[in-house]
Amino acid sequence: MSDPVKTMKQEVGRAAAARVKSDSIVGLGSGSTAAYAIEYIGDRLAKGEITNIQGVPTSFQAEVLAKEFKIPLVTLDAIDHIDIAIDGADEVDPQKNLIKGGGAAHTREKVVDSLAKEFIVVVDEGKLVDKLGSTFLLPVEVIPMALAPVMRSLAALGGKPELRMGVRKAGPVVTDQGNLVIDVKFDHIKNPGEMEKEINNLPGVLENGLFVGVADLILVGKIVDGKPEISEF
């Protein structure tokens, strides 16, 4: 029995991978739908549909997948641009602003996605919201020594901060950079652009999960009558 949700994520990933052209440098995102995009880029390379692709992974997960699907990888030191990036999101508002960081890779994702000439977001319709912060906590990556003061500052901004703890692991989640993640509940984020800057200005904060004005195209998968459909905006 095929799982319609899985099929839908695959179709969204496939639609994004179809937009990758030969001779391009591609930002490879993190998360379940982006993972299918990586797989299909690898497929297209193997079939010779596209050639001369270099991938820039946004996380250890993306790096492992890219190697599995034989996508040549390159670091940011070795390139001066990224043509296209494909990544997931935890929330998307009507202005294409995002909250990311459910997988704690948002710092590297923001570096790569912001550099890309075209940034495509792959999501299912459950990630669409009217206002950011309504369903998902805002992740903030912080250096360990600054944890207590940053949590106090986030509370002063009106948030309810909690240290993200590991699942099937004792202790907190540690990012690929060796830092900690604070998840912050805001009742609603009125001005995501201001909030992004304000949080990033707190000493000890490396990056937060608000992506404002970065996404170019949102590919949205949904299930209609048991079949996957993809729309875009």
Side-chain angles (χ1 to χ4, degrees), residues 120-147:
I120 297 177
V121 179
V122 288
V123 288
D124 58 77
E125 65 174 346
K127 307 286 169 65
L128 303 182
V129 294
D130 292 332
K131 275 200 162 49
L132 292 183
S134 42
T135 62
F136 204 82
L137 304 177
L138 176 64
V140 178
E141 181 166 350
V142 61
I143 64 171
M145 69 162 282
L147 182 65

Side-chain angles (χ1 to χ4, degrees), residues 10-210:
Q10 286 171 324
E11 290 305 315
V12 177
R14 198 191 305 271
R19 291 171 176 267
V20 174
K21 299 180 175 80
S22 291
D23 308 315
S24 52
I25 300 170
V26 186
L28 303 172
S30 313
S32 56
T33 311
Y36 289 122
I38 294 173
E39 181 181 339
Y40 292 125
I41 291 167
D43 270 3
R44 293 188 67 204
L45 264 174
K47 289 177 183 152
E49 281 179 28
I50 46 175
T51 54
N52 187 27
I53 297 296
Q54 292 178 296
V56 182
T58 57
S59 62
F60 186 61
Q61 178 216 17
E63 189 177 327
V64 169
L65 282 170
K67 286 174 179 165
E68 184 184 332
F69 296 113
K70 301 191 169 44
I71 300 171
L73 294 179
V74 65
T75 63
L76 291 174
D77 304 338
I79 55 171
D80 61 2
H81 72 284
I82 294 173
D83 296 294
I84 184 172
I86 299 168
D87 209 344
D90 298 299
E91 281 190 345
V92 182
D93 77 5
Q95 288 74 46
K96 300 183 190 168
N97 297 320
L98 320 173
I99 286 184
K100 289 174 55 51
H106 54 282
T107 299
R108 284 172 65 172
E109 289 168 347
K110 197 179 281 191
V111 171
V112 171
D113 297 342
S114 302
L115 283 171
K117 288 178 191 160
E118 184 182 20
F119 171 31
I120 297 177
V121 179
V122 288
V123 288
D124 58 77
E125 65 174 346
K127 307 286 169 65
L128 303 182
V129 294
D130 292 332
K131 275 200 162 49
L132 292 183
S134 42
T135 62
F136 204 82
L137 304 177
L138 176 64
V140 178
E141 181 166 350
V142 61
I143 64 171
M145 69 162 282
L147 182 65
V150 168
M151 285 183 84
R152 284 195 294 273
S153 299
L154 290 168
L157 288 175
K160 296 186 185 70
E162 272 188 18
L163 179 62
R164 186 181 299 181
M165 301 306 282
V167 179
R168 300 211 298 259
K169 165 195 178 292
V173 166
V174 178
T175 68
D176 288 350
Q177 290 75 244
N179 296 315
L180 303 174
V181 176
I182 302 169
D183 286 313
V184 194
K185 171 73 183 131
F186 286 101
D187 288 333
H188 51 104
I189 297 171
K190 283 197 192 80
N191 186 329
E194 286 300 305
M195 179 72 84
E196 181 181 22
K197 290 191 191 83
E198 204 166 352
I199 292 175
N200 279 356
N201 275 339
L202 297 173
V205 168
L206 186 59
E207 191 52 85
N208 71 78
L210 283 166

